[in-house]
Amino acid sequence: MVERRNSVDAGLRQRAARVVPGGLWGHLNAARLPDGYPQFFAAAEGCRVRDVDGNEYVDMMCSWGPIVLGHRHPAVEAAVRRQLDLGNCMNGPGAVLVELSELLVGMIAHADWAMLQKNGTDATTTCVTLARAGTGRRKVLVARGSYHGSAPWCTPSVVGVTAEDRAHLVPFDYNDIASLEAAADAADGDLAAILVAAFRHDLARDQELPDPAFARRARAICDAADAALIVDDVRAGFRIDLGGSWEPVGVRPDLASWSKAIANGYPLAAVTGNDRFREAAQKIFVTGSFWCEAAPMAAAIATLTELREQDGIAGMVAMGTRLRAGLDRLAARHATPIRQTGPVQMPMVLFDDDPDFAKGDLFCATALRHGAYLHPRHTMFLSTAHREADIDRVLAAADAGFAAVRGMRR
Ligand SMILES: *Cc1c(COP(=O)(O)O)cnc(C)c1O
């Protein structure tokens, strides 16, 4: 086993604890990752990341989704440099805004138009505003446990949030038609939208692809009520189908939110919509100081073009299949049952009989020391930079992780 250094990371954490509340915010707070995980990184290339102490890992988180072509992909970096040499934050957008919007409208099946923003939360929030503006109604059906961002209306924490922030949300259970119908009934003539994740990727539970019958029912309810079907494609977008993650299901949304993988790590989000909501999109007021930055738009054009030209999704599926089969083999060999759920290119690995995630944490902490950066409870991500040798390195690290978990029982 490799000796891991962590003194630089520890020093930065100590300094951060004084000037950053909690040391870091949200999902990156150290308390949320197993012991031994580095918090600070020095460099990244392809599917490898190096922490500030010089330890290198095969990256199975891809920056929690954005890195879809691998870190510092040459075509993306060149596009960004070209744009930076011309200008990035100007009085208005560059030509790249129109070029990228045309690319999105041509690629995404339901899209007649696109609006470009910064974060996934911008996009999901705008979709909800648009649905209300376009229908003149208030109620939005949202699945219990689904993550749609960190604004008061949708953050998973209720600290600092008022009941009024969520007054017009009606809960249902993902893939449960009866609960969706009950929620629609409860909205009773005031239904603005059904907001649904591209697939069920809630924290710390098995992932679920959308049941086609459930997706069709959501579409039918929105059609009957002239409400908006919103698919939140922020996490899954551009890893399942370049036309939109519900294309394989055969259901098209009215509005969709995108971010994460759209620009291979550069800050960008998008809302796409159909003509039913074009007028509403013209009427609402949304903007941001940095929404017109040209370099991230250039990055997105390069990223999406590269994904299309190299059939990037097929490559991620192939490597994800190799990983899933290898983990199943190792789990059987170590007599340690696991559940792998959701799309292979967005893995979730949970251990049976692991209510407090002690097995998952030990598995990941051990794999980390053997050079694989995994997550015990969150969606992981493949990129097109992962090759067979990288997956095999992850499997070798996982082998050590399984051995540690097996040892817990002795
Ligand atoms: C990450 C995420 C968001 C929020 O995106 P941010 O860029 O973090 O604001 C919204 N929806 C889903 C499904 C996400 O995974």
Side-chain angles (χ1 to χ4, degrees):
M1 182 166 62
V2 204
E3 203 46 58
R4 268 187 78 251
R5 298 168 298 275
N6 67 3
S7 57
V8 179
D9 193 76
L12 288 168
R13 282 178 198 235
Q14 269 176 16
R15 286 163 57 193
R18 284 192 286 273
V19 291
V20 182
L24 207 54
W25 48 82
H27 67 297
L28 293 172
N29 191 297
R32 293 169 194 258
L33 282 166
D35 283 348
Y37 268 65
Q39 199 161 54
F40 296 93
F41 291 86
E45 180 83 46
C47 68
R48 305 293 171 111
V49 286
R50 195 167 78 234
D51 67 25
V52 286
D53 285 284
N55 306 295
E56 195 178 274
Y57 313 95
V58 180
D59 180 10
M60 299 309 295
M61 283 307 284
C62 293
S63 308
W64 304 70
I67 302 299
V68 69
L69 297 174
H71 296 275
R72 302 178 60 235
H73 186 277
V76 178
E77 298 308 300
V80 168
R81 264 195 310 274
R82 268 197 307 275
Q83 186 61 54
L84 287 177
D85 284 344
L86 296 168
N88 178 43
C89 191
M90 302 179 279
N91 286 353
V96 281
L97 175 130
V98 180
E99 290 159 20
L100 175 56
S101 301
E102 287 171 347
L103 178 60
L104 291 170
V105 167
M107 184 178 268
I108 296 168
H110 83 108
D112 294 319
W113 53 261
M115 293 170 76
L116 301 176
Q117 312 180 323
K118 283 291 117 181
N119 290 291
T121 306
D122 297 339
T124 55
T125 303
T126 297
C127 284
V128 167
T129 305
L130 269 172
R132 288 175 171 151
T135 61
R137 297 190 291 265
R138 297 178 297 178
K139 303 293 180 192
V140 177
L141 278 40
V142 187
R144 288 184 187 85
S146 283
Y147 185 70
H148 296 298
S150 63
W153 71 269
C154 58
T155 171
S157 165
V158 293
V159 180
V161 172
T162 68
E164 288 80 359
D165 287 317
R166 298 174 181 200
H168 298 294
L169 303 184
V170 185
F172 65 91
D173 293 312
Y174 199 98
N175 270 345
D176 181 336
I177 292 177
S179 82
L180 183 68
E181 288 172 343
D185 286 346
D188 190 25
D190 199 13
L191 182 65
I194 297 174
L195 167 59
V196 63
F199 68 92
R200 188 174 194 172
H201 44 47
D202 308 351
L203 189 66
R205 57 160 295 146
D206 294 327
Q207 301 189 127
E208 283 178 45
L209 293 173
D211 174 356
F214 168 81
R216 284 194 296 270
R217 190 73 192 109
R219 183 65 272 175
I221 290 171
C222 289
D223 288 342
D226 192 30
L229 178 61
I230 305 169
V231 168
D232 180 358
D233 228 331
V234 168
R235 188 176 312 184
F238 311 111
R239 275 194 172 84
I240 292 182
D241 188 307
L242 294 183
S245 296
W246 275 25
E247 281 301 289
V249 184
V251 172
R252 290 195 178 149
D254 299 292
L255 299 167
S257 51
W258 310 84
S259 187
K260 297 213 162 89
I262 195 169
N264 205 48
Y266 288 92
L268 197 79
V271 173
T272 52
N274 58 21
D275 278 332
R276 160 78 177 84
F277 288 90
R278 187 188 288 267
E279 194 188 324
Q282 272 162 241
K283 284 185 176 161
I284 62 168
F285 184 84
V286 284
T287 188
S289 297
F290 302 105
W291 284 14
C292 287
E293 264 190 305
M297 295 179 194
I301 293 168
T303 301
L304 299 177
T305 303
E306 193 71 25
L307 272 176
R308 185 163 61 188
E309 283 176 3
Q310 60 166 268
D311 199 358
I313 292 177
M316 288 186 273
V317 168
M319 289 305 109
T321 302
R322 184 182 184 89
L323 177 68
R324 183 162 297 187
L327 289 173
D328 275 339
R329 253 192 330 270
L330 289 170
R333 190 187 306 155
H334 288 277
T336 303
I338 55 169
R339 303 186 307 280
Q340 302 193 74
T341 51
V344 291
Q345 63 275 39
M346 297 177 66
M348 170 80 86
V349 181
L350 297 175
F351 285 76
D352 283 359
D353 306 316
D354 194 24
D356 54 359
F357 297 96
K359 290 181 188 175
D361 282 356
L362 179 62
F363 173 78
C364 287
T366 308
L368 185 89
R369 286 200 304 277
H370 286 79
Y373 192 103
L374 304 167
H375 198 291
R377 286 181 282 282
H378 192 278
T379 318
M380 293 179 272
F381 299 87
L382 274 285
S383 76
T384 63
H386 289 83
R387 300 277 178 270
E388 289 185 358
D390 306 306
I391 299 301
D392 293 349
R393 216 178 135 193
V394 172
L395 291 171
D399 195 10
F402 278 117
V405 171
R406 199 181 49 189
M408 283 169 76
R409 292 202 289 268
R410 296 216 184 89

